[in-house]
Amino acid sequence: MKRVCKINICCHFCGRVLLSLLVGVVVTLTSLISGVSCFSQESPRRPEAEAIDARARELTPHVSDRQPLFAAPVDDRQAWSVATELSDAVNAVKRAEEVVKEPLQTVPEELYREFYNTGIRSNYEKQYGAQRQRLNTLVLGELVENKGRFLPAVEEMIHMFCDSPSWLLPAHDRNAEVYDGRAIYSDLFACELAWNLGLTYAVLREKLSPETNTLLVDNIRRRILDPFRRSITGEQKAIWWINSKHNWNAVCHMGTLGAALCVCESREERAWFLAAAEYYSKDFLDSFTADGYCSEGLGYWNYGFGHYLYSAMMAERATNGQIHLLAGEKPKKITLFACEMELVAGIYPAFADCNITAKPYSFTVGLLNKKLNLGHDSWSAAACRQRQGVRALQHVAVALFDADYLALEPDSATANVDAGLPLRSEFPDAGVVLCRPDPNEVRGSLAVAMKAGHNNELHNHNDVGSFSVVKTFRDAQGKTRATLTIQDPGGEVYTRRTFSKERYQGELLNSFGHPVPRVNGQLQQTGAQYQGEIVSRAFTDQEDRIEMEISAAYGLPELESLRRVFRYQRGAETLHDTESHSNADSGKCCGCLHVTDTATFAAGSPGTLESAFITRLEVNIIKGQGSELELQLGGEEGVRLTLTGEADGTPLELSVSTQIVGENDESVREKPTRIAVVHANPAQKVTINCVVTP
């Protein structure tokens, strides 16, 4: 019975190989006939091509003959004993056993084309992600067990991917031109899949059939490596992300380099891909401000800089130390961004397209701490604890063969205690300031993050002047807890609109969904010229004062000035003894925040000002109209807002209203509440002041 199965599988594989070759011929001929050849001469040789060629010649003598250059083949059980001894190793095999019982589900063509018809991305991406995870699970199970039980399913997965017309996401495939064979280029997901398949080849090639190995390598070359090289040599239209200045650069170059190091046999060829990755790495580092700030948000710091770390690890090992992508001050500053963006108690402000629960990956910060000698021992301890997991092929195949990672100490109690968060962190180039309470305070206290910036940042939101407020408290066990009260709400669920000219129709992306003013009923505009500036700052242990000029963000000629002043006080405040605080202890709490907006209009052009606050807590309007308003956001875990105003020197009558952000928009998954504080009559100078207390 086994012999019959092998014969059937072999025939099936040979048939698929022949079919794949025939499809490749048809695609090439079709492209040539249509005039959109994948070998098109539309782009001249890139000016950096000579520099990459020269650097490759320098690197070649240093590139090891050994291939692959990191993860060992599955038969090297001494090398793989590191993975088999991890606490999660047994579960890795169990997960593979469950997966192999499930029939392989291919993604139908109509799901790929759904994006073009409806703009919905998530349905295809979910199933495509499940396929990639299935391959990951099966390969890891085989690496841990090494009994051959999962190899047929691995081969089936390889053939399925090689049969697929496109490895891209539909959202990244212009008019389905890759899917339909009219062009060939790569994206984030194609490059990552190529690396996963390359790693599969590197560790299992002796176990896979020759036909499968040939098919796998040919597809990686045809879809990823060859188009990349032709883009640089000018033999085809350049792939746009090659010298981009955002996360695509790091992710796509990492996947391309990883795949090349796995499947390219010659040292010269591997040296060329290493030289290219090194050359374009500087463009990714340029996406961060000089002070290390990541305008894409913390989630994309994890994604982009985490992949950059993998490239650095592979490149250094592959060249015997000739390439150091982590050298210099810039990578160190970018690493420290992850530490200094912690507001308090594990909460990070969700500026740009960032999830409000985003935190730095412990593996990334822990290993960077070790390699850059930053002294954050708790980071390294957390990364070491994560090593017990066997869930990502890239992590297991690369990190578990890294000497620095294996040297991490698992017990933070044996390491030096971190100094803890400072009273404040500042990114002057980005216009971002974080202010924190006195760490010795044990009562409820506030921490605040403020942002000036401009409205053409990476993964931009129109959010000049935005801020987030966190309330901290100690639980019954004495552990510090925290609640987001007023907040920058983070990003939306991606659809076709998200990265189109209609992007700012989304209320979570335009300034309506952010705690920033509206002037004369107008929201902020989009573009680098629509910006904010920190015009003054004053810091003491007791109080931090930051003054911003944000009028330029609105582009209104009648608006002469719009000053937003944050005054953060760390001193004690008496808790309100009202019915809304009946469950709170009496006494003192730490800190309050004053937010003052002052709009000055040109002579003869009086205007209106509306201050806004965004929250996901329950809003209790205690007093919603008059010269002094009061609101409570949340219960004991929330904050009190007291609002007053002034127009042309006289007290201002205010009113408050609430509205759900993105109420009818499916791309806004968790819908926050927008609190608007307005005045009815135009004036030459209008001030609205809000005091936020615990």
Side-chain angles (χ1 to χ4, degrees), residues 45 152 185 217 326 333 389 464 471 505 517 586 615:
R45 183 173 172 86
Y185 49 83
V217 173
L326 295 176
K333 290 180 178 180
V464 171
K471 179 179 177 180
Q505 292 178 4
S586 61
T615 186

Side-chain angles (χ1 to χ4, degrees), residues 26-39:
V26 171
V27 166
T28 302
L29 290 174
T30 302
S31 299
L32 289 169
I33 293 169
S34 66
V36 193
S37 169
C38 58
F39 296 97

Side-chain angles (χ1 to χ4, degrees), residues 372-440:
L372 299 177
N373 194 28
L374 299 178
H376 290 277
D377 297 313
S378 61
W379 287 7
S380 295
C384 189
R385 289 192 293 272
Q386 189 191 41
R387 191 164 67 220
Q388 298 307 311
V390 187
R391 292 181 179 269
L393 177 57
Q394 302 99 315
H395 177 80
V396 172
V398 178
L400 290 189
F401 290 84
D402 184 85
D404 285 334
Y405 191 49
L406 295 175
L408 296 179
E409 291 292 336
D411 187 2
S412 61
T414 65
N416 295 325
V417 177
D418 289 352
L421 295 171
L423 291 182
R424 73 192 62 81
S425 297
E426 184 177 13
F427 298 90
D429 297 316
V432 173
V433 183
L434 288 80
C435 302
R436 305 180 182 91
D438 183 338
N440 296 317

Side-chain angles (χ1 to χ4, degrees), residues 240-445:
W240 69 270
W241 54 257
I242 285 179
N243 60 344
S244 61
K245 298 181 186 294
H246 48 69
N247 68 84
W248 276 64
N249 180 305
V251 176
C252 293
H253 279 293
M254 184 281 305
T256 303
L257 174 62
L261 293 178
C262 287
V263 305
C264 294
E265 298 290 345
S266 77
R267 292 196 302 168
E268 290 78 10
E269 190 175 16
R270 281 178 271 151
W272 188 90
F273 281 99
L274 285 159
E278 179 186 42
Y279 186 92
Y280 294 114
S281 66
K282 64 181 184 297
D283 293 312
F284 173 65
L285 296 183
D286 286 346
S287 70
F288 300 84
T289 58
D291 52 25
Y293 184 79
C294 178
S295 70
E296 294 185 279
L298 181 61
Y300 280 102
W301 181 94
N302 281 328
Y303 187 48
F305 202 53
H307 281 77
Y308 185 86
L309 172 61
Y310 274 132
S311 290
M313 293 166 64
M314 291 190 295
E316 183 172 4
R317 199 177 313 169
T319 60
N320 291 308
Q322 295 299 304
I323 293 180
H324 296 282
L325 298 185
L326 295 176
E329 285 299 310
K330 191 68 175 284
K332 182 180 293 186
K333 290 180 178 180
I334 295 169
T335 299
L336 291 174
F337 165 85
C339 171
E340 295 177 4
M341 277 300 284
E342 182 179 2
L343 190 49
V344 68
I347 292 182
Y348 296 77
F351 296 138
D353 280 344
C354 185
N355 192 290
I356 60 172
T357 61
K359 297 181 181 181
Y361 292 156
S362 57
F363 164 76
T364 303
V365 293
L367 191 51
L368 284 166
N369 174 66
K370 177 72 173 179
K371 290 185 177 294
L372 299 177
N373 194 28
L374 299 178
H376 290 277
D377 297 313
S378 61
W379 287 7
S380 295
C384 189
R385 289 192 293 272
Q386 189 191 41
R387 191 164 67 220
Q388 298 307 311
V390 187
R391 292 181 179 269
L393 177 57
Q394 302 99 315
H395 177 80
V396 172
V398 178
L400 290 189
F401 290 84
D402 184 85
D404 285 334
Y405 191 49
L406 295 175
L408 296 179
E409 291 292 336
D411 187 2
S412 61
T414 65
N416 295 325
V417 177
D418 289 352
L421 295 171
L423 291 182
R424 73 192 62 81
S425 297
E426 184 177 13
F427 298 90
D429 297 316
V432 173
V433 183
L434 288 80
C435 302
R436 305 180 182 91
D438 183 338
N440 296 317
E441 288 292 337
V442 297
R443 299 299 312 279
S445 57

Side-chain angles (χ1 to χ4, degrees), residues 61-72:
H62 302 283
V63 175
S64 172
D65 282 327
R66 184 171 59 87
Q67 190 213 21
L69 297 168
F70 29 90

